Amino acid sequence: MMLTHDQVLDEFRAAGALLEGHFVLSSGLHSARYLQCARVLMDAARAERLCRSLAAQVRAGGVGPIDIVASPAMGGVGVGYEMGRQLGVPAIFFERVDGRLALRRGFTIPAGARVLMVEDIVTTGLSSRECIDGIAAEGGRTVAAACLIDRSNGKADVGVPLFALTRLDIPAYAADQLPPALRALPAVKPGSRGLAK
């Protein structure tokens, strides 16, 4: 069963994962809303419901067989592993090493493997594209990408078809282009690369 837009947002709200305030995203952009996927994924039953729906989208999307799921750490790890479980394939993750995403921990991608790149949230698509570049450098072929939420509302181009449980239009601003209401609030950096708890 594929979840509706409202059902997906209800899952985020129930997990306390749809936050409002002034947030600095991992992309460096600022936003009045933040989606904390770690809180959504900490409930295994919720993660299973969300990823089952996302896996159904990928299967129905006509991309063909998937050999392996690959994700960028840190945000993509939990959703990537659950997507691997839902699709019945191995799941691995890339880590940042010397400023670029690389495989560690003995992870490999077989030459020519058909890879699904999985993220938690897509905002600009930068980390997705970096991960897809890493997959290519390892000899894999990214046939599609998937995420829980596409907060670019379909504007981010990751270079392959992008499946999302839902798409949102949440404005994000450069630090020198903040609207007055956002400028008036203290900035919090809640993501995995941030300092806030």
Side-chain angles (χ1 to χ4, degrees), residues 42-100:
M42 67 188 259
D43 178 334
R46 179 174 284 122
E48 180 181 11
R49 281 191 302 276
L50 293 169
C51 291
R52 185 184 321 120
S53 180
L54 186 55
Q57 272 193 43
V58 171
R59 284 187 187 106
V63 297
I66 304 293
D67 298 317
I68 192 166
V69 169
S71 302
M74 179 74 206
V77 173
V79 68
Y81 275 100
E82 183 59 28
M83 284 295 289
R85 191 174 82 83
Q86 291 295 325
L87 294 168
V89 300
I92 62 174
F93 59 89
F94 282 76
E95 298 175 77
R96 200 160 293 284
V97 178
D98 296 326
R100 69 176 202 52

